[in-house]
């Protein structure tokens, strides 16, 4: 008997979905703040269905937190004993992130 490979049910996941959703979340949150950040608004702006959002993020709190976590860089704090050196290290990290 031949073995059949299952291709999975439904459409394949959109690889750009999370990027578009995160862009939409940042834009909407900057424009209208927490009260205006809704799944409906994010879905419209990102061009995705609300069900795709609910599958990944159960609440708008989780959606915002995950977006912020994905869009920030972890800062490594060091203590060289010299404030100037510590600040330069921090500035280099920020410059690398923004450039």
């Amino acid at each position: 008997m031949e073995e059949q490979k299952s291709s999975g049910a439904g459409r394949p996941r959109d690889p750009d979905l999370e990027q578009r959703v995160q862009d939409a979340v940042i834009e909407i949150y900057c424009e209208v703040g927490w009260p205006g950040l809704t799944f409906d608004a994010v879905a419209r702006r990102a061009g995705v269905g609300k069900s795709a959002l609910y599958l990944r993020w159960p609440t708008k709190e989780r959606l915002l937190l995950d977006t912020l976590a994905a869009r920030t860089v972890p800062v490594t704090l060091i203590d060289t004993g010299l404030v100037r050196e510590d600040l330069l290290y921090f500035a280099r990290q920020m410059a690398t992130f923004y450039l």
Side-chain angles (χ1 to χ4, degrees):
M1 183 151 65
E2 280 186 32
E3 185 178 320
Q4 291 183 341
K5 290 186 178 181
S6 173
S7 63
R11 287 188 293 185
R13 286 189 173 224
D14 180 350
D16 298 325
L17 182 133
E18 288 187 9
Q19 180 71 37
R20 290 196 324 268
V21 168
Q22 290 170 356
D23 290 345
V25 168
I26 295 296
E27 291 168 6
I28 293 168
Y29 190 73
C30 287
E31 291 169 7
V32 295
W34 181 252
L37 183 65
T38 64
F39 276 91
D40 191 48
V42 172
R44 273 195 315 267
R45 178 82 54 102
V48 301
K50 284 195 294 185
S51 61
L53 299 179
Y54 285 114
L55 284 172
R56 291 165 177 80
W57 300 280
T59 65
K60 75 176 190 174
E61 290 89 354
R62 179 57 28 208
L63 176 58
L64 180 60
L65 289 172
D66 286 354
T67 297
L68 293 174
R71 296 295 176 100
T72 57
V73 62
V75 176
T76 305
L77 300 177
I78 61 167
D79 184 2
T80 63
L82 302 169
V83 174
R84 182 178 190 284
E85 292 303 315
D86 295 348
L87 290 174
L88 285 172
Y89 183 80
F90 175 74
R92 285 186 197 102
Q93 287 183 78
M94 293 296 99
T96 300
F97 174 72
Y98 287 112
L99 296 175

